[in-house]
Amino acid sequence: MKMYEICGIDLKKIQAQQTKILKAFDKICRENNLRYSIEGGTLLGAYKYQGFVPWDDDVDVVMPRKDYERFLSIAPKVQNGMSVHTYKNDKYMVLNYCKYRMNGTVYKEKLNAHLTKMDHGLFIDVFPLDSVIPEKLQKQKKKVRLYFKIRWSKLGYRNGNIVDKLLSFIPDKWLVYRIEKAVTKYNGKNSPWIYEICNANDKFNPIPEEWFDTLVNMPFNGILVKAVGEYRQYIQSRFGDISGEPPEKDQKPSHQIIEVKLKDEY
């Protein structure tokens, strides 16, 4: 089997420590009856390989908003060597979701390497799922993306032109409030659909909230994790036909990682 490396480190070693983060996350969720499901490439890997897709370099999980907010309130109190990282506790965090990071590690992406004061630890991505109304989704996406671009400019991800400099004067507290309001707009409106509006990717589709009524255990890299019972439909909606493998040119890590430091004890 082909060996994949990031910054000269065997990807399997990185995946092993990401599994430690996922295990710690899962433990919190099980002990506090929090619903979650692995998703994206992580779910695909669990289904096809009982672990990572061989070239996958991250872990993705989703949680209904109510469970997500409870996780954010509970996890910081748990002494397990991990940290919750969101734009609410770090002004340099531009993303609209949580990165659950392993303390004492580095997994620095080229995209945000200029933010030297930001936590760059090894992570798993934790996405909240919010209620959406499909016929209004495109309009909602545009608003979320607009606020995201403003934060993107404020934090120097763009070219620092005059527009970016003017946007830097917008108070971050106000901007975070607008983001929260935009992504949670239809919560409590009795819509049966939920979606990663925090990460408004056109490749993703809304899913029925009732899928989270039934969760199953799936083997993943030596541990058991949770997935929606309709995981085959979930995979199909995201990837289509998965009977074969993608072209070899696409079999590579998706993040541009420029620095890696792992925990020696793992």
Side-chain angles (χ1 to χ4, degrees):
M1 182 178 289
K2 182 177 178 179
M3 177 179 172
Y4 299 89
E5 292 185 338
I6 294 179
C7 296
I9 297 176
D10 186 346
L11 180 55
K12 287 185 177 181
K13 292 183 178 180
I14 297 172
Q15 292 171 341
Q17 294 200 12
Q18 289 170 328
T19 304
K20 293 284 186 179
I21 307 174
L22 180 58
K23 184 177 181 179
F25 168 83
D26 173 81
K27 185 173 187 291
I28 291 173
C29 292
R30 290 180 190 270
E31 290 178 350
N32 294 278
N33 296 313
L34 303 180
R35 298 171 297 165
Y36 83 90
S37 174
I38 55 173
E39 64 110 32
T42 308
L43 180 58
L44 177 63
Y47 180 67
K48 291 192 71 172
Y49 306 97
Q50 291 77 55
F52 285 87
V53 172
W55 53 89
D56 198 3
D57 60 354
D58 73 346
V59 170
D60 296 323
V61 303
V62 289
M63 307 181 80
R65 170 64 67 171
K66 185 181 296 185
D67 300 88
Y68 174 81
E69 294 295 344
R70 285 191 62 211
F71 172 76
L72 294 188
S73 68
I74 294 169
K77 303 172 186 176
V78 179
Q79 302 299 312
N80 60 1
M82 310 296 168
S83 295
V84 169
H85 190 203
T86 73
Y87 59 55
K88 291 184 177 181
N89 63 16
D90 185 349
K91 68 179 181 179
Y92 299 106
M93 173 65 162
V94 70
L95 301 170
N96 304 329
Y97 49 89
C98 168
K99 286 185 178 288
Y100 195 45
R101 298 188 188 270
M102 180 181 284
N103 299 337
T105 62
V106 176
Y107 200 57
K108 187 179 292 184
E109 299 179 67
K110 181 179 180 180
L111 183 68
N112 52 33
H114 66 287
L115 298 175
T116 58
K117 294 182 180 180
M118 190 181 88
D119 185 343
H120 291 282
L122 189 68
F123 61 87
I124 67 170
D125 286 323
V126 184
F127 300 97
L129 294 170
D130 290 288
S131 297
V132 294
I133 298 175
E135 57 268 28
K136 297 181 179 180
L137 184 54
Q138 287 305 317
K139 184 177 179 179
Q140 188 181 9
K141 282 182 183 180
K142 287 181 180 179
K143 182 171 287 189
V144 172
R145 287 168 177 161
L146 171 62
Y147 291 134
F148 180 79
K149 286 178 180 177
I150 293 173
R151 290 204 86 229
W152 192 270
S153 295
K154 277 170 59 65
L155 292 176
Y157 282 85
R158 301 203 327 167
N159 56 19
N161 60 24
I162 187 64
V163 174
D164 291 350
K165 291 177 181 177
L166 290 173
L167 290 174
S168 69
F169 290 100
I170 296 176
D172 205 56
K173 185 176 181 180
W174 177 88
L175 189 54
V176 168
Y177 166 77
R178 299 305 304 183
I179 292 171
E180 287 290 308
K181 189 171 182 180
V183 299
T184 61
K185 182 175 182 178
Y186 296 108
N187 289 355
K189 304 296 184 182
N190 297 318
S191 173
W193 300 99
I194 52 179
Y195 173 74
E196 292 172 41
I197 190 66
C198 65
N199 182 37
N201 191 321
D202 287 328
K203 295 180 181 179
F204 304 167
N205 298 308
I207 63 173
E209 185 171 11
E210 65 181 16
W211 280 8
F212 280 84
D213 293 342
T214 304
L215 298 172
V216 298
N217 288 313
M218 292 188 75
F220 184 86
N221 213 31
I223 65 174
L224 285 178
V225 294
K226 293 288 188 180
V228 292
E230 291 80 1
Y231 59 86
R232 293 182 184 83
Q233 287 178 255
Y234 203 174
I235 293 170
Q236 179 72 26
S237 71
R238 182 66 57 86
F239 298 104
D241 182 12
I242 59 166
S243 58
E245 298 288 358
E248 188 171 349
K249 65 180 179 64
D250 295 330
Q251 296 181 21
K252 59 185 179 181
S254 60
H255 294 77
Q256 287 186 292
I257 304 298
I258 63 171
E259 183 181 349
V260 178
K261 177 185 176 184
L262 301 179
K263 294 293 282 288
D264 293 336
E265 62 263 36
Y266 291 128

